[in-house]
Amino acid sequence: MRAELHSLVQGLLILPRLRVQNANTLSSPHTWGFPAPSAFTGLMTALERKLGADSGLAFHGVGVICHGYQTQTNGDYIQRFNLSRNPVDKDGGTAAIVEEGRIHLDLTLVFGVSGNALAQNDDALEKRAADIGRALETMRVAGGTLIPPPAGHYTPKPLLTTLPEGEDERAARFRSLRRRWLPGFALVARDDLLRSHHASLRETEPGATLLDAWLDKSRLNHWPETGDGGQVVWRHSRQQGEGWIVPIPVGYGAISELHPAGSVANARDAAAPFRFVESLYSLGEWISPHRLQDAADLLWYSNYDAELGVYRCRNDYQAPSPSTQNDLGVEA
């Protein structure tokens, strides 16, 4: 799929330094801290629909770079969400408090696009990018609201640019673009780490499951070891150089058959087929954009497996082997 995505993406739509207020930080029943990738693939679909079929652009994936965040929590060791009390109900009584997790974000969104709109000149592309940026201002981003930058604060303009067809020219163009996303961290998928950790767990615990591996990799484990001098030394499971690994929800798995449209009471959309699902989980990693080698490393896209009933957000990042990296962590 990486090669297919690489060939599909003819250009990039970059919406830089978006200030999002009160985005949803409860990404799944078991994770919190940042919106799920499905929030941004859903935003991509909603933006494409809002622009309409006459826009001349097709969207193939979305990349997320976070420059800053502020979780709406309080506490020291145990964090508690800052909750707001709703207005009184119709009888004048106190309304129940519904727990909501909120976060303020500073994001750059990068959309992989194609279409005849990319054949326009630079001035037309600049105007088109500005129009799309204004259209996004009327939408929700992961449940949050876009707010304007502070007065006098410089903000880069939206950019719609083509990617050259030649591999060397394309790589050079992407390297020049990724500098604009510093400082920041890009979210990429690390399914490979989950599989390798599961294999290592099964060496000592043959009955270990993928869920055991995910839970073990999602926490910081400490254990004592006796050193050469007889002293007890505490070790932990996150060693230096392993990266900023996080548990993330990556989509949904079906737990029922697909019901015809309108056959399930109280469904949100009575015109679409309905299916009960549960969350799917994997591992992700926050990496600096200068470690990305191609747009396909950054972009998340939706994938559907009809046979398994799996609705997944996928990312084709390929971690370089340590032997191919230089001292800066960049592939040689």
Side-chain angles (χ1 to χ4, degrees):
M1 186 62 189
R2 177 186 172 87
E4 182 180 348
L5 183 65
H6 180 84
S7 62
L8 282 175
V9 174
Q10 301 173 349
L12 296 178
L13 169 64
I14 304 171
L15 302 178
R17 297 290 182 169
L18 302 174
R19 299 179 68 229
V20 185
Q21 187 178 62
N22 290 330
N24 179 26
T25 188
L26 290 172
S27 53
S28 76
H30 298 296
T31 58
W32 78 279
F34 196 82
S38 57
F40 299 102
T41 56
L43 172 68
M44 176 181 68
T45 301
L47 179 60
E48 185 175 18
R49 290 176 177 176
K50 187 177 184 68
L51 297 177
D54 298 332
S55 66
L57 287 176
F59 289 69
H60 303 291
V62 56
V64 183
I65 298 104
C66 182
H67 306 286
Y69 66 92
Q70 182 182 18
T71 54
Q72 301 305 291
T73 60
N74 64 82
D76 297 323
Y77 183 74
I78 298 177
Q79 295 291 304
R80 301 173 181 84
F81 289 118
N82 298 334
L83 303 178
S84 59
R85 184 173 290 280
N86 299 323
V88 297
D89 57 26
K90 60 182 180 181
D91 298 325
T94 301
I97 293 179
V98 178
E99 187 175 41
E100 293 179 326
R102 296 185 294 270
I103 185 172
H104 300 338
L105 298 169
D106 183 2
L107 300 173
T108 289
L109 297 181
V110 181
F111 298 93
V113 297
S114 65
N116 54 26
L118 295 173
Q120 298 174 322
N121 58 42
D122 291 343
D123 291 339
L125 290 178
E126 181 179 353
K127 181 179 182 302
R128 187 61 178 152
D131 292 341
I132 295 175
R134 285 189 290 270
L136 187 70
E137 292 173 357
T138 65
M139 303 172 64
R140 292 278 188 172
V141 178
T145 305
L146 283 174
I147 59 176
H153 181 80
Y154 170 75
T155 301
K157 296 180 180 179
L159 175 67
L160 180 59
T161 182
T162 58
L163 293 175
E165 294 184 2
E167 292 300 324
D168 293 340
E169 295 82 1
R170 184 185 179 106
R173 177 58 175 158
F174 184 75
R175 285 196 298 270
S176 69
L177 290 172
R178 70 186 184 184
R179 296 193 192 102
R180 307 183 183 194
W181 308 330
L182 297 170
F185 290 91
L187 182 63
V188 297
R190 293 305 307 270
D191 298 354
D192 58 311
L193 287 181
L194 182 60
R195 291 191 295 267
S196 63
H197 190 60
H198 181 222
S200 64
L201 276 184
R202 288 177 64 88
E203 294 178 0
T204 55
E205 302 177 27
T209 65
L210 277 173
L211 178 60
D212 295 324
W214 183 76
L215 291 173
D216 190 63
K217 202 67 176 177
S218 301
R219 61 180 178 243
L220 185 62
N221 300 318
H222 294 263
W223 66 89
E225 288 184 356
T226 303
D228 296 337
Q231 295 180 334
V232 175
V233 180
W234 282 93
R235 306 293 185 186
H236 61 82
S237 57
R238 293 289 181 90
Q239 301 301 320
Q240 186 175 3
E242 287 190 346
W244 187 359
I245 307 300
V246 290
I248 57 172
V250 292
Y252 305 94
I255 57 175
S256 76
E257 68 275 10
L258 192 63
H259 300 282
S263 62
V264 178
N266 301 321
R268 179 177 296 180
D269 187 352
F274 185 93
R275 170 174 272 172
F276 291 95
V277 297
E278 61 182 359
S279 294
L280 301 177
Y281 301 93
S282 186
L283 295 176
E285 183 179 3
W286 290 103
I287 64 174
S288 177
H290 79 274
R291 298 179 183 273
L292 302 170
Q293 302 302 317
D294 187 82
D297 289 335
L298 175 65
L299 301 179
W300 289 84
Y301 58 92
S302 300
N303 178 260
Y304 171 54
D305 189 323
E307 183 178 351
L308 297 177
V310 170
Y311 305 80
R312 273 209 60 172
C313 294
R314 294 193 178 273
N315 169 259
D316 295 328
Y317 172 74
Q318 295 178 350
S321 61
S323 60
T324 63
Q325 291 185 347
N326 58 27
D327 293 338
L328 295 177
V330 180
E331 195 169 3

